[in-house]
Amino acid sequence: MRFPLQFTIAQARHRARMERLGRKRYPTVLMLEPLYTCNLACLGCSTERYTGKLSDRLPPEECFAAVDACGAPIVNICGGEPCLYPELKELLEGLFARDKHVIFCTNALKLEEKLFGVVPPTHRLLLMIHLDGMRETHDYVTNRAGVFDKAIDAIRKARKLGYNVYLNTTVFRETRIEEVEQLCQLVDELGANGILISPGYEYQSVKNDIFLNREQTHEKFRAIRAFAKKYRINATPKFLDFAAGLIELPCAPWSTVNYTPKGWKAPCYLIEGEGYFQDFETFWNTVDWDYWESRQDPRCVNCKMHSGSEHSAVEEAMKTLRGKLQLAAWSLGMGV
């Protein structure tokens, strides 16, 4: 399967419950950023995500309150580098106790000392390890030599210990499609569980012009879509159609809400300047979701990120019997 069975079941149950309640919009993933502190300053990352002081981190109790408030079954811990969070063990154990599944986004530099032997493998924990290319490219993007080799060592050890491990790759303007396919092949070589491939978001705070415009995204993802059936790529078929420019989808920013040291970020974890809210109900009832769904804002023009579009891709697939069967086959790990 693309994801652990329990992970997939949790999503399906949540969706069914929301439909029974008549909810049109509902969070499916909480992007939890307990800190804005990182041990890297990657070229494609917004500056606020690696320049924060560790003293400004969220306490575990505030993280749990955010988790309880939004009700999403999946918590994506990011930041910042979550391995630097001093209360990591307490945070993860508290999330598992709340019946949550955790996607742990990391550069892998501190996994061995901060996670291995501290938090044992569980089907509730998915390690999402950042690799933006093979050795030369990834070390360039992370602005530090040796990061690729360190990540590969961590992946090998994590799989040996029994953790679920996924690669997370961002596609930029200069990304070679041949190298993306090499990463897909690397998944098989390392025995990892899959790979998530996304077009990079054009952060306003990033000075380097390395991002894709809409046409470039379509071109690169048409090539990725062409070989996707051969590999364990964790993007639904409809999302790949969307990224390749073959279909249009509305955004669903409400499906992946973001809680940070500053509060609930509006409207999503990508866009700056729309403000933060200290309580979930105010955030949920204040943001103009109709506007952001329309993708008419200039900051949304080139965005084709999973966080806003994957939920819409699933909704689109569920409209027809063919789409449902295709999605089911994809979930089971079949090439579609």
Side-chain angles (χ1 to χ4, degrees):
M1 296 189 68
R2 302 281 172 173
F3 294 101
L5 178 61
Q6 299 92 334
F7 181 96
T8 303
I9 290 174
Q11 289 181 307
R13 284 178 174 169
H14 183 66
R15 174 190 174 87
R17 180 172 178 270
M18 293 299 103
E19 288 180 349
R20 287 195 302 271
L21 293 172
R23 303 272 179 86
K24 176 186 174 183
R25 300 182 178 113
Y26 52 89
T28 58
V29 177
L30 168 61
M31 299 286 288
L32 177 63
E33 298 179 294
L35 75 173
Y36 276 163
T37 310
C38 192
N39 46 4
L40 290 175
C42 299
L43 298 182
C45 187
S46 60
T47 55
E48 63 270 9
R49 288 205 160 82
Y50 58 81
T51 55
K53 296 178 181 178
L54 189 59
S55 58
D56 293 333
R57 68 188 183 277
L58 293 170
E61 295 77 15
E62 194 170 336
C63 294
F64 298 144
V67 170
D68 296 340
C70 82
I74 311 299
V75 179
N76 188 321
I77 302 180
C78 42
E81 169 51 51
C83 282
L84 301 181
Y85 187 66
E87 298 84 10
L88 180 58
K89 178 179 172 63
E90 179 184 350
L91 177 61
L92 288 174
E93 290 178 346
L95 294 176
F96 300 153
R98 283 168 170 76
D99 200 28
K100 303 301 179 182
H101 293 262
V102 176
I103 300 173
F104 190 82
C105 293
T106 176
N107 57 38
L109 294 180
K110 295 287 186 180
L111 272 179
E112 186 160 1
E113 60 185 275
K114 298 294 185 178
L115 188 77
F116 299 164
V118 178
V119 179
T122 167
H123 67 270
R124 294 190 177 279
L125 179 61
L126 283 63
L127 304 183
M128 188 70 72
I129 296 179
H130 192 121
L131 280 181
D132 278 341
M134 300 300 285
R135 180 179 292 104
E136 182 178 351
T137 301
H138 187 61
D139 285 0
Y140 169 75
V141 171
T142 58
N143 204 25
R144 186 185 301 178
V147 174
F148 178 85
D149 289 336
K150 181 74 173 178
I152 295 300
D153 288 343
I155 292 169
R156 292 187 192 281
K157 183 158 189 180
R159 289 301 295 145
K160 186 176 181 180
L161 292 171
Y163 292 93
N164 292 301
V165 179
Y166 295 81
L167 275 59
N168 184 7
T169 296
T170 305
V171 177
F172 298 106
R173 181 181 298 174
E174 301 302 324
T175 300
R176 295 184 304 108
I177 296 303
E178 296 81 5
E179 194 164 7
V180 176
E181 186 164 12
Q182 282 183 292
L183 287 169
C184 293
Q185 293 166 351
L186 187 62
V187 170
D188 294 335
E189 293 171 16
L190 295 172
N193 300 82
I195 181 171
L196 184 68
I197 305 172
S198 295
Y201 180 75
E202 193 172 0
Y203 288 112
Q204 293 176 312
S205 61
V206 174
K207 295 180 181 179
N208 298 306
D209 187 15
I210 60 175
F211 299 104
L212 301 163
N213 61 33
R214 192 175 181 86
E215 291 71 28
Q216 290 166 334
T217 297
H218 292 168
E219 180 183 358
K220 287 186 184 292
F221 274 82
R222 282 174 187 161
I224 292 168
R225 181 177 175 272
F227 63 67
K229 294 180 181 180
K230 298 190 294 183
Y231 305 106
R232 285 177 282 178
I233 295 178
N234 292 97
T236 61
K238 287 295 183 185
F239 174 82
L240 288 177
D241 289 347
F242 170 67
L246 303 179
I247 62 172
E248 280 300 322
L249 294 171
C251 188
W254 39 266
S255 67
T256 309
V257 293
N258 181 209
Y259 192 70
T260 80
K262 298 178 183 179
W264 293 98
K265 186 178 179 183
C268 65
Y269 86 104
L270 299 164
I271 291 176
E272 289 291 337
E274 295 300 310
Y276 293 84
F277 297 85
Q278 296 310 305
D279 69 276
F280 180 76
E281 290 301 322
T282 304
F283 158 72
W284 188 255
N285 294 316
T286 301
V287 176
D288 185 352
W289 298 120
D290 288 329
Y291 174 77
W292 295 106
E293 284 177 355
S294 71
R295 309 174 65 86
Q296 63 183 283
D297 192 277
R299 291 164 291 183
C300 303
V301 171
N302 293 324
C303 179
K304 293 211 165 186
M305 292 286 287
H306 284 271
S307 56
S309 305
E310 193 65 90
H311 182 91
S312 297
V314 172
E315 289 289 312
E316 184 68 19
M318 294 296 286
K319 291 179 180 179
T320 66
L321 177 59
R322 180 181 178 183
K324 290 177 181 177
L325 293 174
Q326 185 183 48
L327 187 60
W330 173 85
S331 297
L332 292 170
M334 302 177 186
V336 292

